[in-house]
Amino acid sequence: MRTRLFKGLIAVFVLSVLTGGFFYMRSNHKHEQVKARYDTYMAQLDDLSVDEDGFLKPITDAGNDPEYDAIYEKKEKARNYLMKHAPHLLPEDDKKSSDDLNNELVEAIRKRDPEAASRLESQFAENKRIAKAQVEAELAVFKQELIDHEAQMEASRKRRESFELEILERKRESQALHERLDRLMDKMREHGIFDANGNLVGVKPPSVAPSDSDVSVPPVGSDASQDRSPAPHTDSVGASDSEIPAAPAFNPQLWRESINSEMADLDVGLSDKYPDVMIRSYLSDAEYQTLFPTEASRQQLQRRTTALQTEYASGIRKMLSKTPRDRQSQMLEIARQALSKDWDSDFVDAVIEQLQLDQK
């Protein structure tokens, strides 16, 4: 047993050594291939740098040679690979920076041709300046792209926040509507008719129908409506104008708020009395057919709708009776706006028409 285990370990060790050696040799072979290409490129560059007589070509000729530029780019790629993976294969001079190599080249040429060395030095400086300008231009583009991206992100954030606030407001409005519907439904159940299974099949008629006295109010402008307040008291001696207290100044905003407050009080009282009519505008066709399945129940709803319109008109008429004639049309418009918040135009028009008939 131990012998077989020992032999197995030896086999694994040998296999690991052979595998490692294979990859090492393969990697080393690739490094040598790159080094061979590097040497080839260097030789080609040397050939392109001298003329037929063995003299260096003018720097202007070498710098504008596409073939020279292509080979130089390949040489740089090979050199970068060797610097990263096998720097020991490079000559010591090739491990130097490009600036150092350029300086050494310039100095070497200066010994034989100072003018050419000056041109080459100027060319190196110009190339360095162009490269720096290109880097700075690219950096400026990247910075501007970053600024634009951040601006877009900020605009998107604001749009998202605005959308979330809008959704939240809609949820609040929806919740308020559902709460109001729930309250109306609770009131509706008190007036509902249910079958044996607890399903709502109709609405009970009102226990007390509105009487004529509730809706019959003398129209504004008649003798009865005008003579509602007691006559001002005068003594036998008489009073001077200075002794009569001045009337408070008219405040349009306060007056409007007072009317809206009275309309709100009127809504609360009538919603308790007519929950079936109040909820009608919120029902779908299917819900309407369920709650009012018979023609009799729908006619009863219509009668109660008319009664509610009459009670609204009666309440507003009482408010008009306390309003000076020159402000009655404005007060009527405020009442119309208040009614329009909860009722459709047909309902509102029916109420206002009753009041307008009084004024004719």
Side-chain angles (χ1 to χ4, degrees):
M1 181 66 180
R2 292 182 178 179
T3 303
R4 288 199 299 271
L5 179 60
F6 181 72
K7 290 182 178 179
L9 292 174
I10 292 177
V12 171
F13 176 75
V14 171
L15 181 61
S16 300
V17 171
L18 292 176
T19 303
F22 171 76
F23 283 108
Y24 175 78
M25 292 177 62
R26 182 179 179 183
S27 176
N28 190 54
H29 180 65
K30 181 179 180 180
H31 299 340
E32 291 183 355
Q33 286 180 334
V34 175
K35 176 60 167 61
R37 290 200 299 270
Y38 174 79
D39 292 339
T40 301
Y41 298 146
M42 289 297 293
Q44 292 174 348
L45 291 176
D46 289 341
D47 292 340
L48 292 173
S49 298
V50 297
D51 56 19
E52 296 177 355
D53 298 327
F55 295 100
L56 286 174
K57 292 181 179 179
I59 189 62
T60 53
D61 295 343
N64 295 326
D65 188 350
E67 182 182 2
Y68 184 95
D69 294 339
I71 296 175
Y72 184 85
E73 183 176 354
K74 293 179 181 179
K75 186 268 296 183
E76 283 297 304
K77 290 182 179 179
R79 178 180 178 277
N80 293 334
Y81 174 87
L82 293 174
M83 284 291 295
K84 182 177 181 180
H85 299 286
H88 61 282
L89 296 179
L90 286 172
E92 290 298 324
D93 290 343
D94 289 346
K95 297 179 184 180
K96 298 178 181 179
S97 66
S98 58
D99 288 341
D100 293 338
L101 293 175
N102 290 340
N103 293 334
E104 291 180 1
L105 178 60
V106 169
E107 293 302 322
I109 295 175
R110 195 185 304 278
K111 295 176 180 179
R112 293 181 295 176
D113 191 345
E115 185 177 351
S118 298
R119 291 197 301 269
L120 182 59
E121 187 175 22
S122 299
Q123 185 64 45
F124 285 152
E126 180 64 14
N127 292 341
K128 188 174 181 180
R129 185 192 65 79
I130 294 174
K132 183 179 179 181
Q134 290 176 344
V135 171
E136 290 178 348
E138 292 177 357
L139 181 59
V141 172
F142 292 151
K143 287 182 177 179
Q144 186 60 46
E145 289 179 352
L146 177 60
I147 292 174
D148 295 341
H149 177 70
E150 290 177 346
Q152 292 176 358
M153 292 295 292
E154 179 64 17
S156 298
R157 183 187 66 79
K158 291 181 178 179
R159 287 195 299 269
R160 184 176 64 254
E161 289 181 353
S162 177
F163 179 73
E164 291 174 351
L165 289 175
E166 183 178 351
I167 293 298
L168 181 60
E169 183 62 26
R170 289 182 181 177
K171 287 182 178 179
R172 290 174 179 171
E173 293 177 356
S174 177
Q175 182 179 358
L177 176 60
H178 282 86
E179 289 176 354
R180 182 182 178 194
L181 289 177
D182 290 341
R183 290 194 298 270
L184 291 175
M185 288 300 295
D186 290 339
K187 295 175 183 177
M188 185 91 180
R189 292 187 184 96
E190 299 176 2
H191 302 271
I193 301 174
F194 300 88
D195 59 16
N197 297 323
N199 297 320
L200 182 64
V201 296
V203 180
K204 298 176 183 178
S207 57
V208 179
S211 63
D212 294 339
S213 61
D214 292 331
V215 298
S216 178
V217 176
V220 177
S222 65
D223 294 338
S225 64
Q226 290 180 350
D227 191 17
R228 291 176 180 271
S229 59
H233 173 72
T234 58
D235 54 23
S236 58
V237 179
S240 63
D241 294 340
S242 61
E243 294 176 349
I244 300 175
F250 175 68
N251 186 325
Q253 181 64 28
L254 185 61
W255 177 65
R256 179 182 291 271
E257 292 177 358
S258 176
I259 294 174
N260 286 325
S261 177
E262 292 188 54
M263 289 296 298
D265 293 339
L266 186 61
D267 285 337
V268 171
L270 295 179
S271 65
D272 292 337
K273 190 174 180 179
Y274 295 92
D276 51 339
V277 183
M278 288 285 186
I279 202 174
R280 172 63 185 94
S281 60
Y282 299 101
L283 297 177
S284 65
D285 292 341
E287 292 170 337
Y288 174 70
Q289 294 295 333
T290 300
L291 291 176
F292 305 96
T294 65
E295 182 63 27
S297 63
R298 290 192 284 273
Q299 290 179 357
Q300 173 68 9
L301 176 64
Q302 182 58 47
R303 287 193 294 270
R304 285 174 57 77
T305 301
T306 302
L308 176 58
Q309 292 169 342
T310 302
E311 292 212 32
Y312 263 120
S314 177
I316 298 173
R317 187 179 293 114
K318 292 177 182 179
M319 297 165 59
L320 280 170
S321 67
K322 299 180 294 184
T323 304
R325 282 185 176 275
D326 59 346
R327 291 201 293 268
Q328 286 183 0
S329 60
Q330 185 179 0
M331 182 262 161
L332 200 59
E333 181 59 29
I334 296 173
R336 178 193 290 274
Q337 294 174 3
L339 286 172
S340 299
K341 294 179 180 178
D342 296 314
W343 300 101
D344 58 28
S345 59
D346 292 337
F347 186 97
V348 176
D349 290 342
V351 175
I352 300 300
E353 284 175 3
Q354 295 188 42
L355 298 170
Q356 289 175 337
L357 288 175
D358 295 341
Q359 295 180 332
K360 290 183 178 179

